Amino acid sequence: MLSKSIQEALNKQVAMEAESSQAYLAMASWAEIQPGLDGVTEFFYQQANEERVHMLKLIRYINERGGFGVVPALEQPIITYQSLKRVFEEFLKHELAVSDSINELVGMALEEKDFATHNFLQWYVSEQIEEERLARTLNDKLELVGDDKSGIYLFDRDIMLFRPKQ
Ligand code: OFO
């Protein structure tokens, strides 16, 4: 059985994963109406789906442990961007915030000696290592490319190669 505090913290994480999904869906939609960003579009549609899966895993775990997984209300995410660089900066910022939140949760689970939740969260710890690595790599690539159009063309063409295989 989950403690009240762990249940609340897990439900906050549910909301964060749902917000991530919305934010990436908005990035996908923005990218889709820009000329030539098919790769980036696909990348963020997939990323949005993944975040939804992260949210579902949490809801089901909370319910399985005798709690109640709460489907959160969401604010509208950023829907337009000045540049591709801004999109990926936001992506990294977001993932860093998610990692902090997961780390907090892990610390809390240990403090409360909730080893089942601690164990459950290890999947998220590994996932965040991957997500941060991915976001950093893509930011580094964009930094190299700058405003060079052919570089952006290649970035968009190859972006899916950087996603870890599911
Ligand atoms: Fe849920 O991993 Fe990204 O945010």
Side-chain angles (χ1 to χ4, degrees):
M1 187 86 180
L2 293 172
S3 73
K4 199 168 169 287
S5 51
I6 294 271
Q7 186 178 172
E8 265 173 28
L10 287 170
N11 268 319
K12 270 200 195 142
Q13 193 61 39
V14 167
M16 203 164 193
E17 302 293 343
E19 279 160 14
S20 303
S21 183
Q22 286 286 91
Y24 299 155
L25 183 58
M27 288 174 184
S29 184
W30 176 83
E32 197 163 35
I33 61 160
Q34 312 305 309
L37 293 182
D38 314 283
V40 172
T41 300
E42 194 50 35
F43 176 87
F44 280 112
Y45 275 131
Q46 284 198 21
Q47 200 65 29
N49 280 343
E50 256 191 32
E51 299 301 348
R52 184 177 156 76
V53 171
H54 300 174
M55 175 191 70
L56 286 175
K57 255 185 198 296
L58 279 156
I59 289 178
R60 300 201 69 167
Y61 175 75
I62 296 166
N63 291 340
E64 194 184 325
R65 297 283 318 282
F68 176 38
V70 179
V71 175
L74 296 174
E75 282 189 14
Q76 186 175 45
I78 300 173
I79 54 166
T80 58
Y81 287 89
Q82 295 306 315
S83 65
L84 195 57
K85 196 162 179 283
R86 284 292 304 126
V87 173
F88 282 89
E89 282 167 2
E90 196 57 35
F91 175 42
L92 176 59
K93 199 173 114 195
H94 205 93
E95 288 305 325
L96 292 175
V98 172
S99 295
D100 282 351
S101 173
I102 295 289
N103 287 341
E104 285 280 307
L105 259 173
V106 171
M108 202 173 162
L110 269 186
E111 230 168 72
E112 292 201 18
K113 295 193 168 42
D114 182 344
F115 299 116
T117 298
H118 182 265
N119 186 46
F120 167 77
L121 288 171
Q122 295 314 302
W123 183 87
Y124 288 83
V125 172
S126 312
E127 181 69 15
Q128 282 316 117
I129 293 172
E130 274 307 310
E131 299 267 82
E132 275 187 42
R133 181 199 58 82
L134 178 62
R136 281 212 177 84
T137 302
L138 295 174
N139 272 276
D140 289 348
K141 302 261 173 225
L142 275 182
E143 193 62 44
L144 277 179
V145 161
D147 291 331
D148 176 45
K149 287 216 166 117
S150 49
I152 293 183
Y153 170 84
L154 293 174
F155 175 88
D156 182 79
R157 191 193 65 181
D158 294 345
I159 186 170
M160 295 304 270
L161 302 177
F162 295 102
R163 280 183 70 85
K165 300 278 166 284
Q166 293 302 305

